[in-house]
Amino acid sequence: MMKSLSFAFAFLAATSSAFAPTQRNVLKNPALYMSDEAPASIEVEPTIVSTGSSAAAVATMSQSLPFLPRPAALTGELAGDVGFDPLGFAKSEADLMNYREAEVKHARLAMLAAAGWPLSEVFDKKIAAVMGMEPILGSDDRVPSLLNGGLGKISPAYWVGCIGVAAMIDIFGQLRMKSDNKEYIPGDFGLRLGYPANEEGQRRMQLAEIKNGRLAMIAVFAFAIQEFVTKQGVVDETPLFFFPIVETLHKYANSGYIQ
């Protein structure tokens, strides 16, 4: 019995070895070897090619408003250009550059205002108390504006200084645009502190600036409307963003919001 089992095991081992690959010390031709392995290492990524009417629709329709045709002047070369011009203001490349120049200037001013508006409501009275001056904010802690009123408290010298600085910046931008007309980018005043050297980084920074600027313009408009409607300062409406959490919860508790 034991002999028969041993014989059967040896027979199975011998037959299974016939299916195992044999190793030979034979040198292969490198060209043939590479040609044998190449098909296994090539990866082909699937691509989608738009043809016919679909390709024409993608090229002619606006990215921001897919149901409207893309304006001819908005080619997508400028950062943040998604084909949004439903009223057709930019009828030529010159018009587009002028509007982008104005947009960049308003965006930068709005970013400063979006930060300065709530900060003034937080620190104006504190700074005025330290310097022995009258606070600019009213009793309701709202920023002076066209809707809130209180602009009469601002010194005329401040407005003259703001207009003067704005005029100097605008003149400098116009001179730079005329002297370097071909390579000039709207809003480029030659400042290169922290500006990337490669084209991809520059494109990323331009896109980030215009996106944050557009958001800031919306935010400043919302600040003005909110304070006009609620008769309350922005920081008082959303104290969690501007004051310590303990102080905010303490105010809520005293106001009855937290029991």
Side-chain angles (χ1 to χ4, degrees):
M1 181 67 179
M2 294 298 294
K3 290 182 179 182
S4 60
L5 291 176
S6 300
F7 176 76
F9 179 77
F11 177 75
L12 291 175
T15 54
S16 62
S17 63
F19 296 94
T22 58
Q23 297 181 354
R24 297 180 181 178
N25 296 327
V26 180
L27 295 177
K28 289 186 177 181
N29 187 348
L32 295 177
Y33 180 76
M34 292 180 64
S35 64
D36 292 340
E37 297 294 334
S41 60
I42 296 178
E43 295 182 359
V44 179
E45 296 183 357
T47 57
I48 300 176
V49 180
S50 298
T51 58
S53 60
S54 61
V58 172
T60 59
M61 302 307 290
S62 171
Q63 180 181 353
S64 58
L65 301 173
F67 52 87
L68 292 178
R70 175 182 57 83
L74 276 63
T75 60
E77 295 181 0
L78 294 177
D81 181 6
V82 291
F84 183 82
D85 188 15
L87 300 181
F89 288 115
K91 295 179 173 59
S92 63
E93 184 179 357
D95 291 340
L96 177 62
M97 292 301 173
N98 289 332
Y99 283 120
R100 172 50 65 93
E101 185 83 19
E103 183 184 27
V104 170
K105 290 178 180 179
H106 284 82
R108 291 169 178 171
L109 184 61
M111 285 188 282
L112 293 175
W117 189 304
L119 289 178
S120 64
E121 293 183 349
V122 174
F123 296 107
D124 176 71
K125 290 185 177 181
K126 297 178 181 179
I127 295 176
V130 172
M131 301 182 64
M133 301 175 63
E134 182 182 358
I136 300 298
L137 300 181
S139 58
D140 51 3
D141 294 337
R142 291 189 299 166
V143 169
S145 66
L146 291 175
L147 297 179
N148 294 339
L151 293 177
K153 297 181 180 180
I154 309 299
S155 172
Y158 172 80
W159 298 117
V160 173
C162 288
I163 295 174
V165 172
M168 291 177 58
I169 295 176
D170 190 71
I171 293 173
F172 178 76
Q174 292 294 326
L175 294 175
R176 181 176 175 82
M177 180 175 59
K178 293 180 179 179
S179 62
D180 192 12
N181 191 19
K182 293 182 179 180
E183 299 182 357
Y184 177 77
I185 301 175
D188 182 11
F189 294 148
L191 300 177
R192 293 294 182 267
L193 181 62
Y195 197 63
N198 58 333
E199 184 177 356
E200 182 181 357
Q202 294 175 4
R203 186 80 175 181
R204 185 179 64 254
M205 290 290 289
Q206 294 169 13
L207 182 61
E209 181 185 33
I210 197 65
K211 282 187 174 182
N212 284 277
R214 290 168 178 172
L215 182 61
M217 287 187 282
I218 297 174
V220 172
F221 178 77
F223 288 170
I225 298 299
Q226 176 183 345
E227 292 196 353
F228 175 72
V229 173
T230 64
K231 307 300 181 183
Q232 193 174 9
V234 172
V235 297
D236 295 330
E237 285 281 345
T238 55
L240 288 172
F241 295 110
F242 306 103
F243 298 103
I245 184 64
V246 176
E247 179 180 350
T248 303
L249 293 177
H250 180 69
K251 290 182 178 179
Y252 281 161
N254 293 336
S255 300
Y257 290 105
I258 300 177
Q259 300 296 336

